[in-house]
Amino acid sequence: MAHAATSSPISSALSHARSENGYTEIDWDKLGFGLTPTDYMYVMKCSRDEEFTEGQLIPYGNIELSPAACVLNYGQGLFEGLKAMRRENGKLVLFRADQNALRMRIGAERVCMPSPSVDQFIDAVKQTALANKRWIPPPGKGSLYLRPLLLGTGAVLGVAPAPEYTFLIYASPVRNYFKEGNAALNLYVEDQFDRASRGGAGGVKSITNYAPGLKPLERAKKNGYSDVLYLDSESGKYIEEVSTCNIFVVKDSIISTPPTKGTILPGVTRKSIVEIALENGFKVEERQIAVEELLEADEAFCTGTAVVMVPVGSVTYKGKRVDYQATNANSMCKRLMSLYSGIQNGLIEDKKGWIIEIN
Ligand code: COI
């Protein structure tokens, strides 16, 4: 059978010209949240009884796997997501990379994998960002999304941890996650499918959490919604998280978000927003939130590394749609977003050591 020739991602990344100011020559205004292959990826391997020691940068490209790799057969894999940003003064920065490293270590323990130390993780992220620095968008035009993976790549037939592991980081310049841009999201409250269950892996960034969400997401999108909001699987009464981000609810200026007790992903943006809100004198509650409370809220918004912060414009639950005043310039979402992005872009002093300068 004849196969159509396809251009490899390696050649397509490296074939992009570098402009005189050091950037890749692409139309930064056309960036969305899609894969744009960059020049290098980071790879580090170890066996089950070892610790990770040293990795290396190699040209971005496909990886070779045994058909019996544990990650392919039994889903032994985790991922992370974080961003390198370019400030107006030319500084390249990462935000709270230690939190992603720690979350990966917790997830690795849950699915029986060795994991890189926090220092190894941060060093690998820095190396990957710097090696691909011509792909870090100009200030205000997006960021370089870094995607660390920890995979059970060794071959195993019976259900058991893999004999070999690969830590890999690839990168892609990105801008807005949703096609709506920063506009308000229309969420569909899913009452048929669950995302996570008691004692499962919903609280870690396991790759196995995402494929089961594709069907509800596809159905919601077909019906015109931006994303799916999941309820707790035990009672079906309480809101948990959206398939790609955490959710906050605001009522009478009190900010509430569901607690991360095993079924909800402990988002780095979520945690940062809680801390910023408390420091700025807002009342924050981490507690169970019944879906009816969401329907009666003054405001709701979502947070995530990929998503950043976006207001919720409407929620539909069992055929009932509730709309929120999402364009209010003084909304809690906008106020917290300007504090959060101020720390990231350097307009607000970083008093907590959240910013890591890499150049
Ligand atoms: C992120 O926000 O980085 C995520 O991992 C969400 C992803 C599923 C797009």
Side-chain angles (χ1 to χ4, degrees):
M1 199 207 302
H3 290 275
T6 52
S7 66
S8 85
I10 301 175
S11 59
S12 62
L14 292 174
S15 65
H16 275 88
R18 188 189 297 263
S19 63
E20 272 172 23
N21 57 14
Y23 289 108
T24 305
E25 276 191 2
I26 60 169
D27 186 349
W28 297 107
D29 291 315
K30 292 220 171 93
L31 269 188
F33 197 92
L35 179 68
T36 303
T38 59
D39 301 329
Y40 295 99
M41 62 188 193
Y42 181 92
V43 179
M44 179 160 64
K45 290 183 188 251
C46 80
S47 71
R48 171 128 172 88
D49 316 313
E50 284 174 344
E51 293 189 341
F52 284 102
T53 51
E54 228 186 312
Q56 56 173 331
L57 289 164
I58 59 171
Y60 175 87
N62 294 343
I63 58 171
E64 192 171 278
L65 280 182
S66 159
C70 193
V71 64
L72 294 181
N73 292 257
Y74 304 125
Q76 194 189 24
L78 299 169
F79 73 92
E80 276 298 328
L82 67 166
K83 287 173 171 172
M85 289 155 279
R86 195 186 291 270
R87 288 181 169 174
E88 290 290 351
N89 63 4
K91 289 237 156 75
L92 305 176
V93 300
L94 300 170
F95 183 72
R96 304 194 80 177
D98 57 315
Q99 296 297 312
N100 298 89
L102 286 168
R103 189 168 64 184
M104 179 168 267
R105 286 185 68 77
I106 293 168
E109 201 276 323
R110 175 68 181 80
V111 292
C112 298
M113 298 197 281
S115 54
S117 69
V118 172
D119 286 347
Q120 284 174 323
F121 182 102
I122 295 175
D123 178 60
V125 168
K126 278 186 191 169
Q127 286 193 45
T128 315
L130 282 177
N132 293 300
K133 88 170 175 226
R134 71 184 181 116
W135 297 91
I136 304 180
K141 305 261 180 197
S143 54
L144 185 70
Y145 186 73
L146 296 144
R147 176 52 73 82
L149 301 173
L150 182 59
L151 309 172
T153 39
V156 62
L157 192 56
V159 176
E164 187 195 81
Y165 294 86
T166 303
F167 174 67
L168 188 154
I169 308 177
Y170 68 92
S172 175
V174 297
R175 203 162 178 182
N176 294 325
Y177 185 81
F178 290 107
K179 70 170 173 28
E180 289 85 346
N182 291 321
L185 305 179
N186 297 307
L187 297 181
Y188 178 75
V189 182
E190 179 58 66
D191 58 359
Q192 183 187 353
F193 295 105
D194 295 326
R195 176 187 173 276
S197 58
R198 192 171 63 87
V204 298
K205 222 158 165 51
S206 168
I207 59 171
T208 54
N209 289 334
Y210 292 83
L214 296 178
K215 188 182 169 91
L217 184 61
E218 192 179 66
R219 189 175 65 170
K221 289 204 163 165
K222 242 184 225 153
N223 291 324
Y225 300 103
S226 328
D227 211 326
V228 171
L229 171 61
Y230 289 99
L231 300 175
D232 78 287
S233 64
E234 268 190 294
S235 71
K237 282 189 193 155
Y238 301 102
I239 61 172
E240 292 223 311
E241 68 176 271
V242 178
S243 48
T244 47
C245 44
N246 295 114
I247 186 157
F248 286 75
V249 168
V250 185
K251 179 76 179 175
D252 298 330
S253 299
I254 300 174
I255 304 161
S256 308
T257 192
T260 53
K261 291 203 180 129
T263 53
I264 293 176
L265 193 80
V268 179
T269 315
R270 173 194 178 280
K271 182 174 179 178
S272 307
I273 289 299
V274 168
E275 291 178 43
I276 289 170
L278 287 170
E279 262 164 30
N280 284 275
F282 296 108
K283 189 163 181 208
V284 181
E285 295 177 349
E286 291 186 60
R287 60 173 177 83
Q288 284 191 315
I289 302 169
V291 67
E292 286 75 19
E293 257 191 81
L294 168 65
L295 301 179
E296 283 159 19
D298 299 329
E299 192 188 320
F301 58 87
C302 294
T303 63
T305 299
V307 163
V308 192
M309 269 183 95
V310 262
V312 176
S314 78
V315 161
T316 301
Y317 176 55
K318 293 193 191 290
K320 178 180 170 193
R321 176 176 160 135
V322 169
D323 287 270
Y324 303 90
Q325 276 270 329
T327 50
N328 183 347
N330 206 27
S331 69
M332 191 64 81
C333 178
K334 290 223 167 74
R335 285 151 82 183
L336 293 172
M337 175 63 184
S338 78
L339 294 167
Y340 173 78
S341 59
I343 297 172
Q344 290 194 333
N345 61 31
L347 294 178
I348 295 176
E349 190 191 348
D350 166 33
K351 293 187 186 145
K352 290 167 166 281
W354 285 353
I355 298 295
I356 302 174
E357 284 182 17
I358 58 172
N359 60 337

